[in-house]
Amino acid sequence: GKLATKYNDYDFPLKIESSKILPYDFVNKTNGNTEELWYNGGNGKMSVVAEENNRYLEVLTLFAYLFFTFLVVIGTFHLGNFVLKSKISDLNFKGIFRLTMQAQILSTVIFVSVFSFIVIGSATILYFTNKFNETSQKRLSTSIGIIANEVSGRLRQVQSDNFINETISATSVGFVNDFERQIAEVSETHNVDINFYSLSGNLIASTQPHIYSKQLLNTRINPNAFYHLQYDGRSRFVQKENIGELQYLSMYMPVLDDAGKVYAYINIPYLNSQLELNQEISSFIATIINLNALIFLLAGAFSFLITQRVVASFSIISSKMREVNIGKKNEVIVWEKHDEIGELVNEYNKMVQKLEESAEALARSEREGAWREMAKQVAHEIKNPLTPMKLSIQYLQRAIDNDMPNTKELSQRVANTLITQIDQLAKIASDFSQFANIDYVKLERINISQKLDEIVQLYRHSETVLIDYSSSQSIFIMGDNGQLTRLLTNLIKNAIESVDEGIVMLIVGLKVINNYVEISVKDNGKGIPSDMITQIFQPNFTTKSSGTGLGLAISKGIVEKLNGNIEFISEVGKGTTFIVRIPTI
């Protein structure tokens, strides 16, 4: 029931009452925050293993390791997913690192957390290592002096010149065994291992004989230590030694007699130094991982909230900027905080104010320019028929003043000329009126196939015009009857006028594609030159010697008001095809 030996610093009882000695069995006990396993191994020996209960810390540590493992797995998964979705040969590395502001802030926080963990961990481990080695050396230095004196005292009790000089005879074996027992007692008292060497460096006694009997270490003293003790006269020597991959501190010291003469060397190997250092480092790494995981989570959460707030602020500004339009009243942003975002908001508000001023000036300039252009166009178009009208009337007036005999026939010709020019003026007025009133639409349900058939029949009576068109199905759309008539008339009339001479051949098509009615008019004219393609739908543009040039501009406006579109395909010398698409009902 007496304590024979113990390892580590747990407070094992020094003596066990006989009534508490277990039979040949084992039992678990709890002592405060420690769990104990008691085992009776027989032969009067009992073993006790104690373990500190750190369940909460173990759970937290497990969570921290799993958390970091999860981050690594997720990062690897996203990287692999990106590589699989992208062609490796076309991989744009700049695009990989092109991150949003929120991602940049989060990445920075993660990088700082991981970097600080690595730096603090590395620096602390290095400090632990140096501090541990320093503490171990001080511990060995303190212990080896005491042990050397105690071994020297015990050696005097088993004094034997033959033993010291290694001329051991058969009768000195008892002295050796007695000395080894004395060293073992000293070793147990101070909880260290002891090796005792002669002056020539041969091992005399050791508390770990199996290390030497198994030939893990040589029975000769370390040559480096022997050199410094024997020839440099050092009072003690410390160095790192190895048994395989196990590294440990080892201290050597000479043993002196009463006259101060060295007669042996004592060595204390600290075999558990690396194990204890590894345990301290492991404990520290576990602690710092726990703390870093907590800091990582808190930093990630705070950075996410902050970035969400910042990104939300920028989202408000960006949404307002997307709504900025010259043709509407732009709202300013109200921001009460005087920060960097506030400065950006102030600049935006100034931009909105300047934009409104510029929009008003631009609108004023556009209105004035439109009126000037319209006035110029109207004056030009009116002036053209007025000139022949004036000349005809002046000629008729001169004939009447001269009492010419053919005055009646001349009056008839002048009247016909005036009627023709008046019709031209009426057409000009109608074109401008239609262009001005293009926004006023009276929607109704119209059979577009019937409407197209009526207009085609009007032009089929001409001997010089051949139109290929047939449609048996009824297709209905919502539109203005007058504007649709004008649209179809403009398309067919422009196709006919594109042919300068010869027979006009038109191909008119009508079909439904994806809930849109598609009307096509193809002619055999000369086509549209490439330098005029971009100007076809502009008002006042025409390739004819007469006309307002508003026909296609009006047609485009009519189609767009019905949520449709108009386009053309032209090839010089082979004709042009105009295509109109309007939603069906």
Side-chain angles (χ1 to χ4, degrees):
K2 295 181 180 180
L3 179 64
T5 182
K6 71 172 185 175
Y7 174 76
N8 256 333
D9 55 355
Y10 184 66
D11 187 17
F12 292 101
L14 293 176
K15 190 174 182 179
I16 303 173
E17 297 179 6
S18 58
S19 60
K20 295 184 178 180
I21 296 177
L22 299 175
Y24 298 115
D25 199 358
F26 66 90
V27 66
N28 288 321
K29 296 182 180 180
T30 302
N31 185 9
N33 196 37
T34 306
E35 293 183 1
E36 298 177 349
L37 174 64
W38 292 65
Y39 173 70
N40 190 340
N43 296 325
K45 293 183 179 180
M46 182 175 292
S47 301
V48 182
V49 180
E51 181 183 20
E52 188 177 359
N53 188 355
N54 293 321
R55 291 182 180 177
Y56 297 107
L57 182 61
E58 289 175 357
V59 170
L60 183 61
T61 305
L62 178 61
F63 166 76
Y65 279 107
L66 290 177
F67 178 73
F68 277 100
T69 304
F70 176 76
L71 291 181
V72 173
V73 171
I74 291 297
T76 305
F77 172 78
H78 280 289
L79 179 62
N81 187 42
F82 177 80
V83 173
L84 289 177
K85 286 186 176 181
S86 306
K87 292 182 178 179
I88 298 179
S89 58
D90 299 334
L91 198 59
N92 187 0
F93 288 97
K94 292 183 179 179
I96 297 177
F97 300 102
R98 192 179 296 120
L99 304 176
T100 62
M101 178 180 293
Q102 185 175 10
Q104 290 178 13
I105 295 176
L106 290 174
S107 300
T108 303
V109 172
I110 293 173
F111 173 77
V112 170
S113 300
V114 175
F115 182 74
S116 62
F117 166 73
I118 295 174
V119 172
I120 294 174
S122 302
T124 308
I125 290 173
L126 182 62
Y127 172 78
F128 272 0
T129 303
N130 295 332
K131 193 68 177 178
F132 182 84
N133 291 333
E134 182 181 350
T135 304
S136 299
Q137 288 187 21
K138 288 182 179 179
R139 176 184 174 184
L140 289 178
S141 298
T142 303
S143 300
I144 198 169
I146 299 173
I147 292 172
N149 292 331
E150 189 169 347
V151 169
S152 180
R154 290 175 180 264
L155 183 61
R156 293 190 187 96
Q157 299 176 7
V158 291
Q159 184 69 38
S160 173
D161 293 337
N162 291 335
F163 176 73
I164 297 300
N165 296 320
E166 296 180 274
T167 57
I168 303 175
S169 62
T171 58
S172 64
V173 175
F175 290 102
V176 174
N177 293 335
D178 191 21
F179 180 62
E180 287 182 343
R181 181 180 57 79
Q182 296 288 344
I183 290 181
E185 291 178 359
V186 174
S187 173
E188 291 182 2
T189 302
H190 295 276
N191 195 23
V192 294
D193 293 315
I194 300 174
N195 296 322
F196 198 81
Y197 295 93
S198 66
L199 284 177
S200 61
N202 291 319
L203 181 67
I204 299 175
S206 175
T207 57
Q208 293 284 354
H210 294 293
I211 294 179
Y212 299 95
S213 63
K214 299 289 185 181
Q215 296 183 356
L216 296 177
L217 286 177
N218 199 308
T219 56
R220 301 281 293 178
I221 192 172
N222 184 278
N224 191 36
F226 183 75
Y227 174 82
H228 286 285
L229 294 175
Q230 181 77 12
Y231 298 104
D232 281 353
R234 300 276 292 271
S235 61
R236 66 186 59 188
F237 180 74
V238 181
Q239 68 176 3
K240 287 185 178 181
E241 297 180 2
N242 296 81
I243 301 179
E245 295 182 357
L246 175 65
Q247 189 179 63
Y248 60 93
L249 283 176
S250 184
M251 179 170 282
Y252 296 84
M253 186 176 181
V255 181
L256 307 177
D257 58 12
D258 294 336
K261 183 180 178 182
V262 178
Y263 62 86
Y265 300 111
I266 191 171
N267 166 237
I268 298 180
Y270 193 8
L271 297 176
N272 293 327
S273 60
Q274 189 65 36
L275 179 61
E276 292 181 8
L277 178 60
N278 292 339
Q279 288 177 346
E280 288 192 19
I281 292 176
S282 299
S283 177
F284 167 74
I285 291 177
T287 303
I288 198 173
I289 285 180
N290 292 331
L291 294 176
N292 203 70
L294 178 61
I295 295 173
F296 187 87
L297 288 173
L298 293 177
F302 281 123
S303 63
F304 179 78
L305 293 176
I306 293 173
T307 52
Q308 281 288 95
R309 187 174 180 181
V310 173
V311 170
S313 303
F314 284 114
S315 298
I316 294 174
I317 299 174
S318 63
S319 62
K320 290 291 184 181
M321 294 184 71
R322 281 194 299 268
E323 295 174 359
V324 171
N325 199 321
I326 295 180
K328 59 174 286 189
K329 178 69 175 178
N330 299 306
E331 299 180 358
V332 297
I333 301 176
V334 179
W335 192 266
E336 298 179 355
K337 297 180 180 180
H338 300 286
D339 52 9
E340 290 80 1
I341 298 179
E343 295 179 1
L344 179 61
V345 169
N346 291 333
E347 294 298 324
Y348 166 80
N349 293 337
K350 291 179 183 179
M351 182 195 70
V352 168
Q353 184 177 359
K354 292 180 181 178
L355 183 62
E356 289 183 356
E357 295 174 356
S358 300
E360 292 178 2
L362 180 61
R364 198 163 47 245
S365 175
E366 286 182 348
R367 285 194 299 269
E368 293 175 357
W371 277 111
R372 286 193 296 268
E373 187 66 26
M374 186 63 70
K376 183 174 69 174
Q377 185 67 17
V378 171
H380 175 73
E381 296 298 333
I382 292 178
K383 185 178 179 180
N384 287 338
L386 286 180
T387 299
M389 291 172 65
K390 180 180 179 181
L391 293 175
S392 298
I393 293 175
Q394 287 176 345
Y395 183 70
L396 177 62
Q397 185 179 9
R398 191 164 50 251
I400 294 173
D401 292 341
N402 295 332
D403 197 18
M404 296 178 63
N406 59 343
T407 303
K408 183 177 180 180
E409 291 81 0
L410 183 60
S411 298
Q412 186 67 34
R413 289 200 302 272
V414 170
N416 291 335
T417 301
L418 292 177
I419 291 172
T420 301
Q421 298 303 323
I422 289 171
D423 289 340
Q424 181 65 22
L425 289 174
K427 182 179 181 302
I428 294 171
S430 176
D431 286 345
F432 280 105
S433 176
Q434 182 73 22
F435 186 71
N437 296 316
I438 196 170
D439 291 334
Y440 299 98
V441 180
K442 183 180 179 181
L443 296 178
E444 57 181 305
R445 190 170 182 266
I446 298 175
N447 188 341
I448 189 65
S449 56
Q450 181 181 351
K451 173 68 67 176
L452 182 59
D453 186 66
E454 293 175 357
I455 295 174
V456 168
Q457 294 303 326
L458 293 176
Y459 291 93
R460 273 182 170 168
H461 297 295
S462 175
E463 296 180 356
T464 59
V465 178
L466 299 178
I467 302 178
D468 180 7
Y469 170 73
S470 62
S471 178
S472 59
Q473 58 178 339
S474 296
I475 305 172
F476 293 92
I477 64 171
M478 293 298 293
D480 185 281
N481 186 53
Q483 289 188 356
L484 285 174
T485 301
R486 182 63 182 269
L487 168 66
L488 300 176
T489 301
N490 281 344
L491 292 177
I492 295 178
K493 186 177 179 182
N494 283 343
I496 293 174
E497 292 177 352
S498 67
V499 181
D500 294 334
E501 57 184 12
I503 301 299
V504 178
M505 300 179 64
L506 304 183
I507 300 175
V508 180
L510 180 68
K511 57 184 177 181
V512 177
I513 301 176
N514 296 331
N515 298 325
Y516 277 81
V517 58
E518 184 177 285
I519 305 169
S520 61
V521 179
K522 181 179 181 181
D523 60 57
N524 62 330
K526 57 184 179 181
I528 302 174
S530 58
D531 57 339
M532 296 182 179
I533 288 178
T534 58
Q535 307 176 34
I536 286 298
F537 294 111
Q538 292 182 2
N540 308 331
F541 176 78
T542 180
T543 58
K544 295 174 287 188
S545 58
S546 62
T548 60
L550 296 175
L552 288 176
I554 293 173
S555 300
K556 188 174 186 294
I558 292 172
V559 174
E560 290 178 347
K561 286 298 178 183
L562 298 178
N563 297 322
N565 69 292
I566 181 173
E567 61 183 25
F568 64 91
I569 302 172
S570 182
E571 188 174 354
V572 177
K574 294 185 179 181
T576 303
T577 301
F578 277 89
I579 302 171
V580 174
R581 297 181 183 89
I582 302 174
T584 60
I585 57 174

